[in-house]
């Protein structure tokens, strides 16, 4: 995955970049399976690797597929800034619990309740589903609103209204 | 997956995150910027999922004879986040298409040039 991310930085031909992004998502999905997050892996493979790639390819079809080179004057400060930020973040992880530690604080509060009670309360074997649809149902409702808003935004930006305006422009030009 | 010693996996995630961050701030192409945002996003998702993993646990689907499950809560949060991420990606790409129509380019310094000429 690191190699893929690095290639995404270096490659200038945007078509390859987009395909590599799909590969990146797919690798992420494989890692999710290894970390027991099967539901997340499904979603990432379908949505991240599938839908995103299609959307990006559509954008490339409407725009260009070549990228200009990045100027040094921009790349160097950006690299320094990213390295500093990364160092601070790594410093932050030093006090985090070890990977796979069952006694970490994250496993102490609501999670055991979900695991122990959801079988009686919701009667679904898949805990992720019962948390998503029941305990945190408002989250999911909010998510739906976000998608709706995004769809409205996309329509407002490249939808029908714009085409009508273009037609008006053409008519105005024809009159003059 | 093989067991990583301690916090190594978090550091890998941080390196990936910073690669995404670098793409967003250093590269002028808008499609590339959105790809960078995606890389950043996936790294954050990975960070959450790694926190939810319990050694020896299985996927949080209840079954007889299994004692240890991984934490389901990060999975739920990330499930929501992935879908929201696609929504924002599509909105960003729509903006890119619109900018390309207006200026004929998707490089930000070209656009700055056109603006200063005008």
């Amino acid at each position: 995955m690191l190699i893929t991310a690095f290639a995404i930085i270096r490659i200038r031909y945007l078509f390859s970049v987009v395909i590599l992004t799909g590969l990146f998502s797919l690798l992420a999905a494989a890692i999710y399976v290894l970390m027991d997050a099967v539901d997340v892996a499904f979603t990432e493979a379908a949505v991240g690797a599938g839908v995103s790639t299609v959307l990006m390819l559509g954008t490339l079809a409407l725009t260009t597929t070549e990228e200009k080179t990045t100027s040094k004057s921009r790349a160097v400060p950006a690299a320094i800034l990213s390295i500093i930020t990364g160092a601070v973040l790594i410093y932050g992880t030093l006090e985090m619990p070890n990977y796979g530690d069952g006694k970490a604080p994250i496993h102490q509060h609501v999670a055991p309740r979900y695991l122990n009670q959801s079988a009686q309360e919701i009667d679904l074997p898949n805990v992720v589903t019962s948390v998503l649809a029941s305990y945190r149902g408002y989250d999911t409702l909010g998510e739906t609103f976000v998608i709706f808003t995004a769809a409205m935004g996309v329509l407002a930006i490249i939808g029908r209204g714009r085409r009508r305006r273009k037609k008006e422009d053409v008519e105005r030009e024809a009159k003059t | 997956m093989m067991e990583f010693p301690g916090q190594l996996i978090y550091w890998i995630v941080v390196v990936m995150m910073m690669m995404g961050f670098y793409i967003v701030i250093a590269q002028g192409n808008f499609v590339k910027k959105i790809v960078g945002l995606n890389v950043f996003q996936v790294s954050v998702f990975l960070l959450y999922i790694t926190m939810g993993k319990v050694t020896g646990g299985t996927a949080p689907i209840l079954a007889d004879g299994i004692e240890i499950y991984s934490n389901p809560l990060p999975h739920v949060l990330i499930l929501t986040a992935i879908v929201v991420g696609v929504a924002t990606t599509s909105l960003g790409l729509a903006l890119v298409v619109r900018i390309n129509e207006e200026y004929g380019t998707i490089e930000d310094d070209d656009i700055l040039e056109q603006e200063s000429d005008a």
Side-chain angles (χ1 to χ4, degrees):
Chain A
M1 253 182 116
L2 280 176
I3 298 167
T4 321
F6 190 68
I8 290 175
I9 296 184
R10 299 302 305 173
I11 293 177
R12 276 183 216 304
Y13 186 56
L14 288 175
F15 185 76
S16 322
V17 169
V18 168
I19 298 301
L20 277 174
T21 317
L23 179 65
F24 186 75
S25 291
L26 215 56
L27 285 172
I31 292 180
Y32 295 151
V33 173
L34 292 170
M35 290 177 178
D36 303 338
V38 280
D39 308 72
V40 182
F42 279 141
T43 320
E44 179 72 42
V47 170
V51 178
S52 288
T53 311
V54 170
L55 284 173
M56 286 189 189
L57 286 179
T59 314
L60 289 190
L62 290 171
T63 58
T64 54
T65 52
E66 282 296 328
E67 184 198 15
K68 290 202 314 179
T69 49
T70 315
S71 60
K72 264 252 159 60
S73 61
R74 247 179 103 169
V76 173
I80 294 172
L81 187 62
S82 346
I83 288 170
I84 292 175
T85 320
V88 172
L89 283 175
I90 286 179
Y91 176 70
T93 62
L94 289 181
E95 294 203 341
M96 280 176 72
N98 284 347
Y99 172 70
D101 184 0
K103 293 189 187 63
I106 186 174
H107 305 304
Q108 301 302 325
H109 300 286
V110 284
R113 191 200 133 91
Y114 289 153
L115 287 172
N116 296 329
Q117 304 289 318
S118 68
Q120 288 102 52
E121 287 178 356
I122 315 224
D123 198 23
L124 275 179
N126 190 339
V127 184
V128 173
T129 310
S130 49
V131 175
L132 183 77
S134 180
Y135 293 112
R136 300 191 71 90
Y138 282 116
D139 265 14
T140 311
L141 181 67
E143 171 198 340
T144 329
F145 277 128
V146 169
I147 298 167
F148 178 73
T149 316
M152 289 296 107
V154 170
L155 282 182
I157 293 167
I158 55 173
R160 289 186 57 205
R162 184 189 43 123
R163 233 171 275 145
R164 206 179 308 133
R165 194 161 355 110
K166 272 219 176 123
K167 210 185 280 172
E168 279 169 17
D169 286 348
V170 173
E171 281 165 7
R172 205 176 307 137
E173 272 166 30
K175 273 178 198 163
T176 51
Chain B
M1 175 179 275
M2 60 182 209
E3 287 314 313
F4 288 110
Q7 285 118 346
L8 180 65
I9 185 136
Y10 301 130
W11 301 342
I12 295 175
V13 167
V14 167
V15 170
M16 262 187 335
M17 216 184 270
M18 285 309 111
M19 280 176 167
F21 186 48
Y22 173 81
I23 297 176
V24 173
I25 59 181
Q27 310 213 328
N29 186 290
F30 289 133
V31 174
K32 197 84 173 266
K33 272 182 198 284
I34 289 179
V35 168
L37 267 183
N38 263 335
V39 170
F40 195 107
Q41 220 173 24
V42 170
S43 325
V44 175
F45 298 164
L46 262 178
L47 183 69
Y48 270 66
I49 300 295
T50 53
M51 286 194 290
K53 167 76 179 162
V54 179
T55 311
T58 68
I61 296 172
L62 301 175
D64 292 334
I66 296 175
E67 292 292 310
I68 312 172
Y69 298 101
S70 286
N71 194 332
L73 193 56
H75 301 181
V76 175
L77 299 179
I78 297 310
L79 220 53
T80 311
I82 288 177
V83 178
V84 169
V86 168
T88 49
T89 304
S90 63
L91 196 60
L93 289 173
L95 279 170
V96 172
V97 170
R98 189 76 185 86
I99 287 169
N100 185 57
E101 278 176 3
E102 201 69 38
Y103 290 94
T105 174
I106 50 171
E107 301 281 342
D108 58 359
D109 28 359
D110 287 357
I111 291 171
L112 283 177
E113 248 170 55
Q114 286 186 24
E115 286 286 296
S116 59
D117 289 348

